[in-house]
Amino acid sequence: MWFLFLSPNKLFTAPGRGDVFGLLGFLLVSGLIVALGEANRRGQFARLHQLHVLDAANDAIIELDPANDTIRYWSQGAEKLYGWKTSEAIGKDINVLLKTACSQPLDQSKAALMRQGNWEGELIQTRRDGTEIFVASRSTLQQETKWESAIRLEINRDVTERKRSERELRQAEEQRRAARELAYSELEKQVRERTAELEQSNQQLRQLSAQLIRSQDEERRRVARELHDSAGQYLAAVTLALDAAKIEQQSATGKLEEAATMAKGCASEIRTISHLLHPPLLEELGLASAAQWYVQGFATRSGIQVRLEIPEHLDRLGNEVELVLFRILQECLTNIHRHSGSKTATLRIGSDSQQAWLEVQDQGKGSGDAPSEFQPGIGITGMRERVKDLSGVLEISSEGTGTRVRAVLPLAPKASASS
């Protein structure tokens, strides 16, 4: 300043050392002022450029005070998204202004932002016209420095349409799932009803089969009695008459003897058929005696040797159980004679306190396809129905070394002595 106001006659006078230092200080201060001014100008220009860029963005860009969530900057994108003008939004609490809601408490979201420096999530906010929208929000925290205060920058994007589409897709999927579940439920209901109908039909068929088998047994018993009591008596009377005539008519002795022999043979055959239809030993002495009698007669008639394995003292098993086991015995031995080609067979009968069993084993040709050969008489179906009617089990295994049939029937509990 001294140099600038120097009088003209001293303009070219050489200054002293103090004047030089003063001049240098002046120049330094002036340069600093110019530099600061230029930096401020450039900073304002950069700030204006930044704001222009932010306003050009479609997303809502909002600058907040981290301490109280008040709005410092409100971009044009925010105006378009929320409907609030910049002058109306600046200085307001953003959560109050937009009625912000989040899946987690806002305090927790802010705590995560302060701890991590950033946060992302979805918010539900309300526009000026009262419309609720879904926004995808990203927040970044700039910590306070010596030169600048702390800044929270929030960028929000409207995802309402996407959320609506997702909700519609979920609803459509729930409807499809409900339709499928309803269809499955209806199908299962129909299957259960059909299964119940089939089970009822099968039960009726089993009952009918059991009734037919019982009727067959009763008819056999009746026919056996008729043969024994009626035809047998007639033949016996014929035999007696022939014997008497033989005595009186010596001349016709030969023919009479022949007729008597035929009558006796017929009576024996009828007695045998009667016993086969319903052996009286089965009811009178039990399964063990009836099995021994039948096996002896079968061996004589067929030439097949049958090894019989029965306990020395086999308890009575009950009329129904003994009758079913005897019929299975008859069927199995008949099948062996007619189909297996075996010359030997083994018959085992046993029991304990809870069940009785019968097993027939031959050494015939067998078959890989089990029991296709067991068709005569009541056949496999009849045997199975008899066993099933008494809640038993019938097992048939056929191999190259023969066929084995095993029937197991439960026994009714015996009454105690005190009862």
Side-chain angles (χ1 to χ4, degrees):
M1 294 297 294
W2 169 82
F3 179 78
L4 292 176
F5 294 100
L6 190 65
S7 59
N9 59 347
K10 297 183 178 181
L11 181 60
F12 297 101
T13 303
R17 180 178 294 179
D19 296 331
V20 173
F21 283 111
L23 179 59
L24 292 176
F26 167 75
L27 294 175
L28 182 61
V29 172
S30 299
L32 181 60
I33 291 173
V34 172
L36 290 175
E38 180 64 18
N40 184 56
R41 184 186 68 80
R42 291 185 178 181
Q44 291 180 352
F45 177 79
R47 175 68 173 173
L48 291 174
H49 178 71
Q50 181 183 19
L51 294 177
H52 177 72
V53 173
L54 294 178
D55 284 337
N58 292 325
D59 294 341
I61 301 175
I62 306 167
E63 184 180 306
L64 304 169
D65 185 343
N68 52 22
D69 294 333
T70 57
I71 301 172
R72 290 182 179 176
Y73 171 73
W74 189 259
S75 70
Q76 292 181 5
E79 290 184 353
K80 294 177 183 178
L81 178 60
Y82 297 109
W84 297 95
K85 299 296 183 181
T86 301
S87 58
E88 297 172 325
I90 296 297
K92 301 292 180 60
D93 185 320
I94 187 172
N95 297 323
V96 176
L97 180 67
L98 303 180
K99 300 178 182 178
T100 303
C102 184
S103 59
Q104 64 180 138
L106 294 175
D107 293 342
Q108 294 184 11
S109 301
K110 187 172 182 180
L113 172 65
M114 302 301 291
R115 183 175 60 256
Q116 302 173 3
N118 57 76
W119 179 86
E120 292 187 15
E122 289 188 353
L123 303 173
I124 301 176
Q125 295 178 325
T126 304
R127 296 166 54 96
R128 185 174 185 175
D129 60 5
T131 305
E132 284 191 348
I133 59 174
F134 291 88
V135 298
S137 179
R138 292 176 295 169
S139 294
T140 302
L141 179 65
Q142 178 179 325
Q143 300 291 348
E144 183 178 2
T145 64
K146 183 177 180 180
W147 306 105
E148 296 181 353
S149 60
I151 297 175
R152 174 185 170 186
L153 186 64
E154 185 173 301
I155 303 176
N156 295 337
R157 174 173 295 177
D158 185 6
V159 294
T160 304
E161 290 300 323
R162 190 193 74 189
K163 296 294 290 186
R164 182 179 295 112
S165 298
E166 291 176 354
R167 183 169 59 250
E168 291 175 353
L169 286 175
R170 286 196 300 271
Q171 291 176 350
E173 180 60 28
E174 290 172 0
Q175 292 174 355
R176 287 195 294 269
R177 185 181 299 111
R180 286 197 300 268
E181 291 177 354
L182 180 61
Y184 291 154
S185 177
E186 184 65 24
L187 181 60
E188 289 178 355
K189 179 182 177 182
Q190 294 177 1
V191 170
R192 287 195 299 270
E193 292 176 352
R194 183 57 177 164
T195 302
E197 293 175 358
L198 290 175
E199 181 60 29
Q200 184 178 4
S201 299
N202 290 336
Q203 182 65 25
Q204 293 174 350
L205 288 175
R206 285 194 294 269
Q207 292 175 354
L208 178 60
S209 177
Q211 291 174 359
L212 290 175
I213 291 173
R214 285 193 291 269
S215 297
Q216 184 185 48
D217 289 333
E218 291 297 328
E219 183 66 15
R220 285 180 173 180
R221 185 180 291 110
R222 187 188 65 79
V223 172
R225 285 197 300 265
E226 291 293 334
L227 286 174
H228 182 272
D229 296 339
S230 180
Q233 295 298 328
Y234 281 121
L235 288 173
V238 170
T239 301
L240 293 175
L242 289 173
D243 288 340
K246 183 176 62 174
I247 296 173
E248 296 177 359
Q249 302 291 334
Q250 294 296 329
S251 62
T253 300
K255 292 184 178 180
L256 291 175
E257 287 181 353
E258 182 180 357
T261 301
M262 293 176 61
K264 291 178 181 178
C266 182
S268 176
E269 186 67 20
I270 290 176
R271 183 168 55 252
T272 300
I273 294 174
S274 173
H275 287 183
L276 289 176
L277 285 172
H278 189 78
L281 287 177
L282 187 63
E283 293 182 352
E284 296 172 3
L285 300 179
L287 179 61
S289 298
Q292 292 173 354
W293 166 81
Y294 184 82
V295 165
Q296 290 174 358
F298 174 78
T300 301
R301 293 189 301 272
S302 65
I304 298 175
Q305 299 300 316
V306 181
R307 186 176 66 182
L308 185 60
E309 299 180 5
I310 303 179
E312 184 176 355
H313 300 288
L314 181 67
D315 294 336
R316 295 300 300 268
L317 307 176
N319 291 337
E320 288 189 344
V321 172
E322 290 183 340
L323 178 58
V324 170
L325 293 179
F326 183 78
R327 293 305 182 201
I328 294 175
L329 180 157
Q330 284 182 303
E331 186 67 27
C332 290
L333 292 181
T334 300
N335 288 336
I336 292 173
H337 175 54
R338 293 180 178 177
H339 303 286
S340 75
S342 176
K343 296 301 181 182
T344 60
T346 302
L347 171 63
R348 301 181 182 92
I349 301 176
S351 69
D352 55 25
S353 61
Q354 296 182 342
Q355 59 188 10
W357 57 87
L358 178 144
E359 182 177 307
V360 180
Q361 173 77 52
D362 66 30
Q363 288 74 43
K365 56 187 177 181
S367 173
D369 299 327
S372 60
E373 298 179 352
F374 292 92
Q375 300 302 327
I378 61 174
I380 291 298
T381 303
M383 287 195 292
R384 289 194 186 280
E385 290 301 324
R386 286 181 181 274
V387 172
K388 186 181 294 185
D389 188 44
L390 296 183
S391 301
V393 176
L394 181 67
E395 299 175 350
I396 301 176
S397 58
S398 183
E399 301 175 354
T401 57
T403 301
R404 182 177 70 92
V405 179
R406 178 178 173 83
V408 181
L409 299 177
L411 297 178
K414 296 182 179 180
S416 60
S418 59
S419 60

